[in-house]
């Protein structure tokens, strides 16, 4: 089949196969992208039940849209009647292959199973039960995302159950007691199977063993698994709760299981206090950055230090970029918040202004319910944020053009600059117009040195899909949806591997979802591309680098410098507080000094988790 063209897919190579399908890598000739084609094996072409299961797999997966569930694009058949499913192609390996090297660290195992649980929760909400959760059906991408595969045995709510009377479906070691007894199943059978998977990941062996299927079935129905070696009572409790013989005694649902798995990092330390994602950040970043300190230091520290020491920063006037109003094309809605992120990056530090952090802007809009088109209300909001000037604007589709209009107002609400620009006819890439808009906004005050810093593309990416994904990630980060943010940032760097800011933010997202090893590689990527990082992020990395190299006084000075340069940046204040709280004693500094910067951070962002 390799080399053949089927529909609009060119088959490139065979990837693998099993009893219910053979998978090939193919190229979508219309889009130029890679896909995976799963074919029903020829010997099952006349098996009506197998064909129904194959179609059911496509129906089940295509009904779901989740980052941890394999995306199904279509189901079709060849000219000679072979059924196939076109689905997303991922780089990586199955969990089964990964486990061939032995058990995984607790945090990594918990993170993988948490992702699977979140995917299953989405399926269960749609009335879809997988019924064949096992390592071979869990794919781990190179970036650490867990993808649920093979819904071939899935039961759709209200659909025909394809299990024959008196038969069982699933793989013996991972079947729930009710599956073994050929009874009716619900979402809790997936909870059981996922518990078996977690047990195997932590111990390197399955909880129920036997030399033949009947012996395995007997163990599932009658025996209790051995305790996990070297695990806390909390971890043991999570696994045992999944492996209760009676469905009603198990963890109640996949979402609850995912929530419990998030706390494993906190409960596996001497202190059992469950820390919030934000308060765990410095520990995670510390572990990541300590390993790359030399790389980052070589790239970044010289920018801020010299033989005579760095100069103290000048406090700049605050500038607020409001969300833009989008008209005429719903597909451009991402630019409403996106313009805040992009123009703030371009304008920050230029022309005597410091762009107010987008999180503060959106937080105040949400608290106050401010109408972004009401000049009086916006002026009041800007005043609350301690800023002076502000920018309001629109993005409008006019036939083949995308037109941008922006107005800068002073503290009295007087328009001081009015500019517009548009994307050239036939183009859907707005970045050049945004760059030109930024240049026009500051045309009267921008210096020759600053002109290059006004380029959004230089600080982000020239790839529009990568930029869209990055903006989605920033939106998710502001909402505290770190898993969604991680998925979006992963997509962004997949599309543009030179996108330094996306690598940096991906490292943070991995840190907040507790995966040290994967965070490390992302920080390395950001460090290697540090020239493209905006000034603020370079300085944050420099402060962290000084701390992790053991230069406590230098780290404190740099963090203090950041809070003076960015007095309305809650993140900079929080980082200073976390330095004192988590690392101060190491450098002979009282951790109680964290009180002042933490209080300042909460004043700026009262709803910060």
């Amino acid at each position: 089949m390799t080399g053949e063209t089927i529909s609009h897919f060119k088959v490139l190579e065979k990837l693998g196969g099993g009893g219910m399908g053979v998978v090939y890598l193919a190229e979508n000739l219309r889009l130029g992208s890679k896909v995976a084609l799963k074919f029903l094996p020829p010997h099952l072409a006349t098996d009506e039940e197998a064909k129904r299961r194959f179609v059911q797999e496509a129906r089940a997966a295509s009904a779901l849209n989740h980052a941890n569930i394999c995306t199904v694009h279509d189901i079709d058949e060849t000219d000679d009647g072979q059924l196939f499913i076109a689905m997303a192609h991922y780089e990586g390996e199955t969990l089964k292959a990964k486990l061939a090297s032995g058990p995984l660290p607790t945090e990594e195992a918990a993170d993988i199973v948490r992702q699977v649980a979140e995917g299953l929760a989405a399926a269960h909400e749609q009335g879809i039960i997988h019924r064949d959760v096992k390592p071979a059906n869990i794919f781990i991408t190179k970036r650490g995302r867990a993808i649920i595969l093979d819904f071939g045995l899935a039961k759709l709510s209200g659909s025909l159950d394809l299990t024959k009377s008196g038969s069982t479906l699933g793989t013996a070691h991972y079947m729930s007691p009710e599956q073994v007894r050929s009874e009716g199943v619900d979402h809790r059978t997936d909870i059981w199977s996922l518990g078996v998977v977690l047990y195997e990941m932590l111990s390197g062996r399955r909880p129920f063993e036997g030399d033949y299927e009947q012996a395995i079935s007997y163990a599932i129905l009658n025996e209790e698994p051995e305790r996990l070696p070297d695990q806390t009572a909390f971890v043991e409790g999570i696994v045992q709760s999944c492996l209760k013989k009676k469905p009603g005694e198990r963890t109640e649902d996949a979402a609850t299981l995912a929530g419990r798995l998030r706390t494993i990092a906190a409960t596996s330390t001497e202190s059992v206090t469950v820390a919030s994602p934000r308060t765990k950040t410095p520990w995670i970043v510390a572990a990541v950055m300590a390993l790359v300190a030399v790389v980052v230091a070589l790239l970044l520290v010289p920018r801020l230090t010299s033989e005579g020491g760095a100069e103290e920063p000048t406090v700049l006037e605050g500038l607020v970029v409001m969300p833009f109003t989008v008209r005429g094309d719903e597909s451009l809605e991402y630019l409403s918040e996106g313009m805040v992120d992009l123009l703030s990056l371009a304008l920050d530090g230029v022309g005597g202004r410091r762009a107010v952090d987008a999180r503060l802007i959106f937080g105040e809009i949400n608290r106050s319910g401010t109408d972004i088109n009401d000049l009086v209300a916006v002026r009041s909001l800007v005043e609350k944020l301690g800023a002076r000037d502000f920018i309001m604007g629109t993005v409008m589709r006019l036939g083949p053009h995308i037109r941008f209009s922006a107005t800068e107002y002073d503290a009295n609400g007087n328009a001081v600059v009015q500019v517009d620009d548009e994307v050239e006819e036939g183009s859907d890439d707005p970045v050049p117009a945004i760059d030109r808009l930024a240049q026009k906004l500051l045309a009267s005050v921008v210096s020759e040195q600053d002109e290059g810093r006004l380029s959004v593309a230089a600080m982000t990416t020239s790839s529009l899909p990568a930029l869209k994904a990055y903006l989605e990630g920033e939106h998710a980060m502001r909402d505290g949806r770190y898993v969604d943010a991680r998925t979006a940032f992963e997509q962004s760097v997949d599309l543009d591997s030179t996108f330094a800011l996306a690598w940096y933010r991906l490292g943070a997202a991995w840190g907040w979802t507790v995966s040290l090893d994967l965070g490390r590689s992302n920080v390395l990527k950001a460090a290697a591309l540090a020239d493209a990082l905006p000034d603020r992020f370079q300085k944050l990395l420099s402060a962290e680098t000084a701390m992790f190299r053991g230069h406590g006084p230098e780290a404190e000075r740099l963090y203090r410098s950041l809070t003076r340069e960015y007095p309305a940046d809650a993140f900079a204040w929080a980082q200073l507080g976390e330095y004192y709280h988590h690392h101060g004693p190491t450098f002979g500094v009282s951790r109680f000094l964290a009180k002042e910067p933490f209080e300042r951070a909460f004043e700026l962002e009262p709803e910060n988790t």
Side-chain angles (χ1 to χ4, degrees), residues 189-212:
T189 200
D190 287 345
I191 299 290
W192 169 282
S193 299
L194 197 49
V196 175
V197 172
L198 180 56
Y199 186 102
E200 183 177 358
M201 293 170 75
L202 294 171
S203 67
R205 54 186 172 80
R206 290 169 292 214
F208 306 102
E209 292 285 10
D211 293 332
Y212 47 90

Side-chain angles (χ1 to χ4, degrees), residues 340-361:
V340 181
D341 290 303
L342 300 178
L343 277 183
S344 295
L345 280 176
L347 302 179
D348 184 47
V350 182
R353 261 75 64 88
R354 171 66 67 217
V356 174
D357 191 284
R359 289 169 301 177
L360 301 186
I361 298 170

